[in-house]
Every structure is written in C-alpha cells, then in structure tokens.
C-alpha cells in the first residue's frame, strides 16, 4: 500500500553520500517541511535528468543546454494521474494548493521586493560555490555537471574557480548583504515578512546551506557574519527545520 509521502515526490541529484546540496532543491524541502506536507525523494544522476523527464508530460524549458533541471515535483492529481512541475512558480503554486496554510507568502509585497531588490546580492556568493559542486558528486554526475557548465560558461569549472577568487567575491557581496540586513531590520521579527517565515527566507537560507554542503564553510561563515540581522534570519529558519532529518546537518546551531 502506498504511503502518504508517495503522493509527493521531489527529484534530486544527491551527493555521492546521498545528501541534498542544491540550493534549488533545499528551498523546496524547507518549504515542504514547514507546510507539513509528507514527501519522498527520488535521486537521479545528473546525466540521466533529460532521459528521465523527456518521456513524461513535463514541459521542457526553452534551453538547449538544460531543457530539464532539478528539482522536479511530481504529485498525484485528484484523478490519480501524475503531474509534474519544474518552474519555481509552478512548484510553489502546487504546494500552496495542497496545503494553503501556512502560506509561503510568495506574493507578499516584502517577498516581491526581496526578489527584485536583493536577488543580485547573492550572485557573488553563488559564483564562489558553484564551481566546487563536482567535488561532492558521483563520478558520472560530476563529469556531466562539469561538461554542462563548460557548455554554459564557455570555460571549465577549474577556470571558473580561478576567475572567481574568494576574497574578491566576498568583497563584492559585503555591501549588498549589509544592505539586505538593514532592510530586514525595517520590520519586527527575524523574517522577510516579520514574524512569519516564507519562501523568501527559505531561499536565503538555501544559499548558505548550499555553501556549507559543498564544503565552502569559509563563505558560509563570512556571509553569516556580515550583518546581525542576516544571522538572526538564518537561525530563525533553522528553528523551522528542527525535525527536518533530510536537512539536519546543514544547520549549524549557533549560541
């Protein structure tokens, strides 16, 4: 007999140790746990992503390099047929439809401002981490990841790392993260929307968890220390995930 968690499946490309590392996947797992939606995870090796989803009803992106990407959400409709979602908005809407409360507050004014105003602030952080992803993947996935990044960037991951030195990247991020911290302090409560967590908070926490999962603890610690409100937000998200066994190791308890 199928369990309740079989009704909602998240497809992930795990590390060679079976752990979730992608910030794209982590923010969805944080959201599922917060909303209390049972789910299961199905692992896919990186080179098998296209062949897994091409035969399904999932609409590919208009992207010849990566027509399909992780995460993908699969769930059972009321008629019992499987439905797939890959876009951020599509996944969030499906989760909100499954369980409206607590809301992920994706369309709140503060959440919209967060995305439009501070999205670029995290690019320098991600650039310092993404080149190291092959270090945690299986050999097959690492090779495929590196090749797709080379197709995307026009350079190897080794060259990418060399062109994105840590000190310079953090120096670029520092004033942007400080501005983000000042903005957080404009409302009471540790979260983007005040006292209630939402997808914006899980997105921010996923960036830091990504750095930690890939082994860039230096980036993780430095960004966390750039502004007190940033650390408060991270710790507040951690408290929403205390029983999330899938992501437990990614949150460092800070006294």
């Amino acid at each position: 007999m199928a369990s309740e968690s079989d009704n909602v499946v998240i497809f992930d490309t795990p590390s060679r140790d079976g752990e979730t590392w992608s910030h794209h996947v982590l923010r969805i797992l944080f959201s599922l746990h917060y909303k209390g939606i049972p789910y299961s995870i199905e692992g896919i090796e990186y080179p098998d992503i296209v062949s897994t989803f091409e035969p399904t009803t999932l609409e590919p992106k208009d992207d010849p390099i990566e027509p399909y990407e992780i995460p993908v959400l699969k769930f059972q409709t009321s008629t019992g047929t499987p439905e797939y979602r890959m876009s951020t908005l599509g996944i969030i809407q499906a989760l909100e439809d499954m369980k409206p409360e607590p809301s992920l507050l994706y369309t709140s004014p503060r959440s919209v401002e967060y995305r439009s105003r501070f999205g670029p602030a995290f690019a320098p952080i991600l650039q310092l981490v993404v080149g190291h992803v092959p270090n945690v993947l299986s050999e097959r996935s690492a090779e495929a990841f590196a090749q797709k990044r080379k197709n995307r960037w026009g350079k190897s991951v080794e060259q990418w790392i060399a062109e994105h030195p840590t000190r310079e990247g953090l120096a670029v991020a520092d004033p942007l993260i400080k501005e983000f911290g000042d903005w957080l302090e404009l409302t009471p409560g540790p979260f983007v929307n005040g006292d209630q967590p939402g997808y914006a908070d899980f997105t921010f926490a996923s960036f830091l968890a990504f750095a930690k999962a890939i082994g860039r603890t230096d980036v993780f610690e430095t960004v966390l220390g750039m502004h007190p409100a940033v650390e408060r937000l991270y710790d507040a998200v951690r408290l929403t995930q205390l029983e999330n066994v899938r992501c437990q190791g990614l949150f460092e308890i800070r006294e």
Side-chain angles (χ1 to χ4, degrees), residues 195-246:
D195 292 324
Q196 186 177 347
Y199 190 77
D201 308 292
F202 299 145
T203 298
F204 170 76
S206 76
F207 294 141
L208 292 180
F210 172 50
K212 190 173 185 181
I214 299 302
R216 293 307 309 268
T217 53
D218 54 335
V219 174
F220 168 81
E221 291 288 353
T222 301
V223 173
L224 208 58
M226 285 180 176
H227 196 289
V230 166
E231 184 168 354
R232 283 195 296 273
L233 172 57
Y234 172 82
D235 281 339
V237 171
R238 174 179 63 80
L239 292 175
T240 72
Q241 304 294 314
L242 288 179
E243 297 179 6
N244 187 348
V245 294
R246 183 73 190 182

Coordinates of all heavy atoms in Angstrom, one line a residue, residues 195-246:
D195 N 7.3 38.3 11.5 CA 7.2 37.1 12.4 C 6.9 35.8 11.7 O 7.0 34.8 12.3 CB 6.2 37.4 13.5 CG 6.7 38.5 14.4 OD1 7.9 38.6 14.7 OD2 5.8 39.2 14.9
Q196 N 6.5 35.9 10.4 CA 6.1 34.6 9.7 C 7.1 34.3 8.6 O 7.4 35.1 7.7 CB 4.7 34.8 9.1 CG 4.2 33.5 8.5 CD 2.8 33.7 8.0 OE1 2.1 34.7 8.3 NE2 2.3 32.7 7.2
P197 N 7.7 33.1 8.7 CA 8.6 32.6 7.6 C 7.9 32.4 6.3 O 6.7 32.2 6.3 CB 9.2 31.3 8.2 CG 8.1 30.8 9.1 CD 7.5 32.0 9.7
G198 N 8.6 32.4 5.2 CA 8.1 32.1 3.9 C 9.2 31.7 2.9 O 10.3 31.5 3.3
Y199 N 8.8 31.6 1.7 CA 9.7 31.1 0.7 C 11.0 32.0 0.5 O 12.1 31.5 0.3 CB 9.0 31.0 -0.7 CG 9.8 30.3 -1.7 CD1 9.9 28.9 -1.7 CD2 10.4 31.0 -2.7 CE1 10.6 28.3 -2.7 CE2 11.2 30.4 -3.7 CZ 11.3 29.0 -3.7 OH 12.0 28.3 -4.6
A200 N 10.8 33.3 0.7 CA 12.0 34.2 0.6 C 13.0 33.9 1.7 O 14.2 33.9 1.4 CB 11.5 35.7 0.8
D201 N 12.6 33.6 2.9 CA 13.5 33.2 3.9 C 14.2 31.8 3.6 O 15.4 31.7 3.8 CB 12.8 33.1 5.3 CG 12.0 34.3 5.5 OD1 12.6 35.4 5.8 OD2 10.7 34.2 5.5
F202 N 13.4 30.9 3.1 CA 14.0 29.6 2.8 C 15.0 29.7 1.6 O 15.9 29.0 1.5 CB 12.9 28.6 2.4 CG 11.9 28.4 3.6 CD1 10.5 28.2 3.3 CD2 12.3 28.4 4.9 CE1 9.6 28.0 4.4 CE2 11.4 28.2 5.9 CZ 10.1 28.0 5.7
T203 N 14.7 30.7 0.7 CA 15.6 30.9 -0.4 C 17.0 31.4 0.1 O 18.0 30.9 -0.2 CB 15.0 31.9 -1.4 OG1 13.8 31.4 -1.9 CG2 16.0 32.2 -2.5
F204 N 16.9 32.4 1.0 CA 18.2 32.9 1.5 C 18.9 31.8 2.3 O 20.1 31.7 2.1 CB 17.9 34.1 2.5 CG 19.1 34.5 3.3 CD1 20.1 35.3 2.7 CD2 19.2 34.1 4.6 CE1 21.2 35.6 3.4 CE2 20.3 34.5 5.3 CZ 21.3 35.2 4.7
A205 N 18.2 31.1 3.2 CA 18.9 30.0 3.9 C 19.5 29.0 3.0 O 20.5 28.4 3.4 CB 17.9 29.4 4.9
S206 N 18.8 28.7 1.9 CA 19.3 27.7 1.0 C 20.7 28.1 0.4 O 21.5 27.2 0.1 CB 18.3 27.4 -0.1 OG 18.3 28.4 -1.1
F207 N 20.9 29.4 0.2 CA 22.2 29.8 -0.3 C 23.3 29.5 0.6 O 24.4 29.0 0.2 CB 22.2 31.3 -0.6 CG 21.3 31.8 -1.7 CD1 20.5 33.0 -1.6 CD2 21.1 31.0 -2.8 CE1 19.7 33.4 -2.6 CE2 20.2 31.4 -3.9 CZ 19.5 32.6 -3.7
L208 N 23.1 29.8 1.9 CA 24.1 29.5 2.9 C 24.3 28.0 3.1 O 25.4 27.5 3.2 CB 23.7 30.1 4.2 CG 23.8 31.6 4.3 CD1 23.3 32.2 5.7 CD2 25.1 32.2 3.9
A209 N 23.1 27.2 3.1 CA 23.2 25.8 3.3 C 24.0 25.2 2.1 O 24.7 24.2 2.2 CB 21.8 25.2 3.4
F210 N 23.8 25.7 0.9 CA 24.5 25.3 -0.3 C 26.0 25.4 -0.1 O 26.7 24.5 -0.4 CB 24.0 26.1 -1.5 CG 24.7 25.9 -2.8 CD1 24.9 24.7 -3.3 CD2 25.1 27.0 -3.5 CE1 25.6 24.5 -4.5 CE2 25.7 26.9 -4.7 CZ 26.0 25.6 -5.3
A211 N 26.4 26.6 0.3 CA 27.8 26.8 0.5 C 28.4 25.8 1.5 O 29.5 25.2 1.3 CB 28.1 28.2 1.0
K212 N 27.6 25.5 2.6 CA 28.1 24.6 3.6 C 28.1 23.1 3.0 O 29.1 22.4 3.3 CB 27.2 24.6 4.8 CG 27.7 23.9 6.0 CD 26.8 24.1 7.2 CE 27.4 23.4 8.4 NZ 26.5 23.6 9.6
A213 N 27.1 22.8 2.3 CA 27.0 21.4 1.7 C 28.2 21.1 0.7 O 28.6 20.0 0.6 CB 25.7 21.2 1.0
I214 N 28.6 22.2 0.0 CA 29.6 22.0 -1.0 C 31.0 22.1 -0.3 O 32.0 21.8 -1.0 CB 29.5 23.1 -2.1 CG1 28.2 22.9 -2.8 CG2 30.6 23.0 -3.2 CD1 27.9 21.5 -3.4
G215 N 31.1 22.4 0.9 CA 32.4 22.5 1.6 C 33.0 23.9 1.7 O 34.1 24.0 2.2
R216 N 32.2 24.9 1.3 CA 32.7 26.3 1.4 C 32.3 26.9 2.7 O 31.5 27.9 2.7 CB 32.2 27.1 0.2 CG 32.8 26.7 -1.2 CD 34.3 26.6 -1.3 NE 35.0 27.8 -0.7 CZ 35.3 28.8 -1.5 NH1 35.1 28.8 -2.8 NH2 36.0 29.8 -1.0
T217 N 32.7 26.3 3.8 CA 32.4 26.8 5.1 C 32.9 28.2 5.3 O 32.4 29.0 6.1 CB 32.8 25.9 6.2 OG1 34.2 25.6 6.1 CG2 32.1 24.5 6.2
D218 N 34.0 28.5 4.6 CA 34.6 29.9 4.8 C 33.6 30.9 4.2 O 33.4 32.0 4.9 CB 35.9 30.0 4.0 CG 35.9 29.5 2.6 OD1 34.9 28.8 2.2 OD2 36.7 30.0 1.8
V219 N 33.0 30.6 3.1 CA 32.0 31.5 2.5 C 30.8 31.6 3.5 O 30.2 32.6 3.8 CB 31.6 31.1 1.1 CG1 30.4 31.9 0.6 CG2 32.8 31.1 0.2
F220 N 30.3 30.4 3.9 CA 29.2 30.3 4.8 C 29.4 31.2 6.1 O 28.5 32.0 6.4 CB 29.0 28.8 5.2 CG 28.1 28.6 6.4 CD1 26.7 28.5 6.1 CD2 28.6 28.3 7.6 CE1 25.9 28.2 7.2 CE2 27.7 28.1 8.7 CZ 26.4 28.0 8.5
E221 N 30.5 31.0 6.7 CA 30.7 31.8 8.0 C 30.9 33.3 7.7 O 30.4 34.1 8.5 CB 32.0 31.2 8.7 CG 31.8 29.8 9.2 CD 31.0 29.8 10.5 OE1 30.6 30.9 11.0 OE2 30.7 28.7 10.9
T222 N 31.6 33.6 6.6 CA 31.8 35.0 6.4 C 30.5 35.8 6.1 O 30.3 36.9 6.6 CB 32.8 35.2 5.2 OG1 34.0 34.6 5.5 CG2 33.1 36.7 4.9
V223 N 29.7 35.2 5.2 CA 28.4 35.8 4.9 C 27.5 35.9 6.1 O 26.9 36.9 6.4 CB 27.7 35.1 3.8 CG1 26.3 35.6 3.5 CG2 28.5 35.1 2.5
L224 N 27.5 34.9 6.9 CA 26.7 34.9 8.1 C 27.1 36.0 9.1 O 26.3 36.6 9.8 CB 26.8 33.5 8.8 CG 25.7 33.0 9.7 CD1 24.4 32.9 8.9 CD2 26.0 31.7 10.3
G225 N 28.4 36.4 9.1 CA 28.8 37.4 10.0 C 28.8 38.8 9.4 O 29.3 39.7 10.1
M226 N 28.3 39.0 8.2 CA 28.3 40.3 7.6 C 27.3 41.3 8.2 O 27.4 42.5 8.1 CB 28.0 40.2 6.1 CG 29.2 39.6 5.3 SD 28.8 39.5 3.5 CE 30.5 39.0 2.9
H227 N 26.2 40.7 8.9 CA 25.2 41.6 9.5 C 24.4 40.8 10.5 O 24.1 39.7 10.2 CB 24.2 42.1 8.4 CG 23.4 43.3 8.8 ND1 22.4 43.2 9.8 CD2 23.5 44.6 8.5 CE1 21.9 44.4 9.9 NE2 22.5 45.3 9.2
P228 N 24.2 41.4 11.7 CA 23.4 40.6 12.7 C 22.1 40.1 12.3 O 21.6 39.0 12.7 CB 23.3 41.7 13.9 CG 24.4 42.6 13.6 CD 24.6 42.7 12.2
A229 N 21.4 40.9 11.4 CA 20.1 40.5 11.0 C 20.1 39.3 10.1 O 19.2 38.5 10.0 CB 19.4 41.7 10.3
V230 N 21.2 39.2 9.4 CA 21.4 38.0 8.5 C 21.6 36.7 9.3 O 20.9 35.7 9.0 CB 22.6 38.2 7.6 CG1 23.0 36.9 6.9 CG2 22.3 39.3 6.5
E231 N 22.3 36.8 10.4 CA 22.5 35.7 11.2 C 21.2 35.3 12.0 O 20.8 34.2 12.1 CB 23.6 35.9 12.3 CG 23.9 34.7 13.1 CD 25.2 34.8 13.9 OE1 25.9 35.8 13.8 OE2 25.4 33.9 14.8
R232 N 20.4 36.4 12.4 CA 19.1 36.1 13.0 C 18.2 35.4 12.1 O 17.4 34.5 12.5 CB 18.5 37.4 13.5 CG 19.2 38.0 14.8 CD 18.3 39.1 15.4 NE 18.2 40.2 14.6 CZ 19.0 41.3 14.6 NH1 20.1 41.3 15.4 NH2 18.8 42.3 13.8
L233 N 18.2 35.8 10.8 CA 17.3 35.2 9.9 C 17.7 33.7 9.7 O 16.8 32.9 9.6 CB 17.4 36.0 8.5 CG 16.6 35.3 7.3 CD1 15.2 35.1 7.6 CD2 16.8 36.2 6.1
Y234 N 18.9 33.5 9.5 CA 19.4 32.1 9.3 C 19.0 31.2 10.5 O 18.5 30.1 10.4 CB 20.9 32.1 9.2 CG 21.5 30.7 9.1 CD1 21.5 30.0 8.0 CD2 22.1 30.2 10.3 CE1 22.1 28.7 8.0 CE2 22.7 28.9 10.3 CZ 22.7 28.2 9.1 OH 23.2 26.9 9.1
D235 N 19.2 31.8 11.7 CA 18.9 31.0 12.9 C 17.4 30.8 13.0 O 16.9 29.7 13.5 CB 19.4 31.7 14.2 CG 20.9 31.5 14.4 OD1 21.4 30.5 13.9 OD2 21.5 32.3 15.1
A236 N 16.6 31.8 12.6 CA 15.1 31.7 12.7 C 14.7 30.6 11.7 O 13.7 29.8 12.0 CB 14.5 33.0 12.4
V237 N 15.3 30.5 10.5 CA 14.9 29.5 9.6 C 15.3 28.1 10.1 O 14.6 27.1 10.0 CB 15.6 29.7 8.2 CG1 15.4 28.5 7.3 CG2 15.0 30.9 7.5
R238 N 16.5 28.0 10.8 CA 16.9 26.8 11.4 C 15.9 26.2 12.3 O 15.6 25.0 12.4 CB 18.2 27.0 12.1 CG 18.7 25.8 12.9 CD 20.0 26.0 13.6 NE 19.9 27.1 14.6 CZ 19.5 26.9 15.8 NH1 19.0 25.8 16.2 NH2 19.4 28.0 16.7
L239 N 15.2 27.1 13.1 CA 14.2 26.7 14.1 C 13.0 26.1 13.4 O 12.3 25.4 14.0 CB 13.9 27.9 15.0 CG 15.0 28.3 15.9 CD1 14.6 29.6 16.7 CD2 15.4 27.2 16.9
T240 N 12.7 26.5 12.2 CA 11.6 26.0 11.4 C 11.9 24.6 10.9 O 11.0 23.9 10.4 CB 11.1 26.9 10.3 OG1 12.1 26.8 9.2 CG2 11.0 28.3 10.7
Q241 N 13.2 24.2 11.0 CA 13.6 22.9 10.3 C 14.2 21.9 11.4 O 14.9 21.0 11.0 CB 14.6 23.2 9.3 CG 14.2 24.2 8.2 CD 13.1 23.6 7.3 OE1 13.1 22.5 6.9 NE2 12.1 24.5 7.1
L242 N 13.9 22.1 12.6 CA 14.5 21.3 13.7 C 14.2 19.8 13.5 O 15.1 19.0 13.8 CB 14.0 21.7 15.1 CG 14.6 23.1 15.5 CD1 14.0 23.4 16.9 CD2 16.1 23.1 15.6
E243 N 13.1 19.4 13.0 CA 12.8 18.0 12.8 C 12.9 17.5 11.4 O 12.4 16.4 11.0 CB 11.4 17.7 13.3 CG 11.3 17.9 14.8 CD 9.9 17.7 15.4 OE1 9.0 17.2 14.6 OE2 9.6 17.9 16.5
N244 N 13.5 18.3 10.6 CA 13.7 18.0 9.2 C 15.0 17.2 9.0 O 16.1 17.7 8.9 CB 13.9 19.3 8.3 CG 13.9 19.0 6.8 OD1 14.1 17.9 6.4 ND2 13.7 20.1 6.0
V245 N 14.9 15.9 9.1 CA 16.0 15.0 9.1 C 16.8 15.0 7.8 O 18.0 14.8 7.8 CB 15.6 13.5 9.4 CG1 15.0 13.4 10.8 CG2 14.6 13.0 8.4
R246 N 16.1 15.4 6.7 CA 16.8 15.4 5.4 C 17.9 16.6 5.4 O 18.9 16.4 4.8 CB 15.8 15.6 4.3 CG 16.4 15.7 2.9 CD 16.8 14.3 2.5 NE 17.6 14.3 1.3 CZ 18.1 13.3 0.6 NH1 17.8 12.1 1.1 NH2 18.8 13.4 -0.5

